[in-house]
Amino acid sequence: MRKADAVMGGEDRQRTGRVRMLPGLLAVLVLLALLVLSWGLALPSQAQEKEYRIGAKDVLKITVWGHEDLTRAAVVSADGTFPFPLIGDVPAAGSTPSQLEGRLKGLLGKDYLVDPQVSVSVQEYRSQRVFVLGEAEKPGTYPLTGEATLLDVLSQAGGPAKTAGIQAILVRVPKPQGPLLPGTTGSTTL
């Protein structure tokens, strides 16, 4: 019987150990689940912040599923709007494509269509541009199609030419009145 008691005692200890570990393991799993949920819920807001903002001169591709007569390309005017059948001028500047989809869906669904399915994408990026000048392989004007770094833009321009120096000058325009000269307030030298 002693062997049986010893075996049973060992099993009881194992069971007790498992029971003691279960709350700790459960707590860790709950914490992991909460982290995953909070991370998943934070992603849409981060994606929205990085989504392209529509501006004047951008060309939009608007698709209304099942209504070919409403599907079209639209150019955003200087005042930030574009004309759309049935609803007139629609403000677009400063909105993301997904925000504009929601606005069009609401306007079309209000009086004209039942549950319209709308898709908006930027067909041509024309409102936000960057100028690469000087000793680049391909100097010129490049569209900004979303969040971009200086390295991204220089890569589009083919990188620095073989004769380029080791400095780059970044000029930011604080107001639409014109560019700043290097060294003046508001400009940045890298």
Side-chain angles (χ1 to χ4, degrees):
M1 276 181 89
R2 288 184 181 180
K3 286 185 179 179
D5 286 339
V7 171
M8 295 209 39
E11 287 176 7
D12 286 340
R13 276 189 223 121
Q14 286 178 344
R15 285 186 199 144
T16 307
R18 284 184 191 149
V19 171
R20 286 183 191 156
M21 287 180 57
L22 188 60
L25 182 61
L26 186 60
V28 170
L29 289 175
V30 168
L31 283 174
L32 284 174
L34 289 174
L35 285 173
V36 168
L37 284 175
S38 66
W39 182 65
L41 295 174
L43 286 179
S45 64
Q46 291 171 352
Q48 287 174 354
E49 288 174 7
K50 294 183 180 184
E51 194 173 359
Y52 180 79
R53 297 278 176 182
I54 298 168
K57 299 181 185 177
D58 283 340
V59 180
L60 306 175
K61 174 67 176 163
I62 302 167
T63 305
V64 182
W65 302 105
H67 297 276
E68 298 302 320
D69 54 329
L70 297 176
T71 297
R72 63 193 59 238
V75 179
V76 179
S77 65
D79 68 352
T81 64
F82 65 93
F84 198 78
L86 303 174
I87 54 179
D89 286 342
V90 179
S95 300
T96 64
S98 57
Q99 289 171 337
L100 187 56
E101 283 176 10
R103 185 177 301 132
L104 286 171
K105 184 175 180 174
L107 291 169
L108 288 170
K110 183 178 175 183
D111 294 322
Y112 304 105
L113 302 175
V114 176
D115 191 30
Q117 299 302 307
V118 180
S119 171
V120 176
S121 61
V122 180
Q123 188 172 338
E124 292 181 40
Y125 298 92
R126 294 183 181 173
S127 66
Q128 299 176 26
R129 300 171 295 160
V130 63
F131 302 91
V132 178
L133 307 172
E135 294 294 320
E137 288 293 332
K138 297 181 281 182
T141 305
Y142 295 91
L144 291 177
T145 58
E147 190 173 292
T149 65
L150 179 60
L151 187 59
D152 295 332
V153 173
L154 288 176
S155 295
Q156 281 184 311
K162 292 178 184 175
T163 58
I166 59 170
Q167 289 184 335
I169 297 175
L170 176 65
V171 180
R172 294 184 179 163
V173 182
K175 298 178 184 175
Q177 297 171 348
L180 295 174
L181 297 173
T184 60
T185 304
S187 69
T188 305
T189 303
L190 300 175

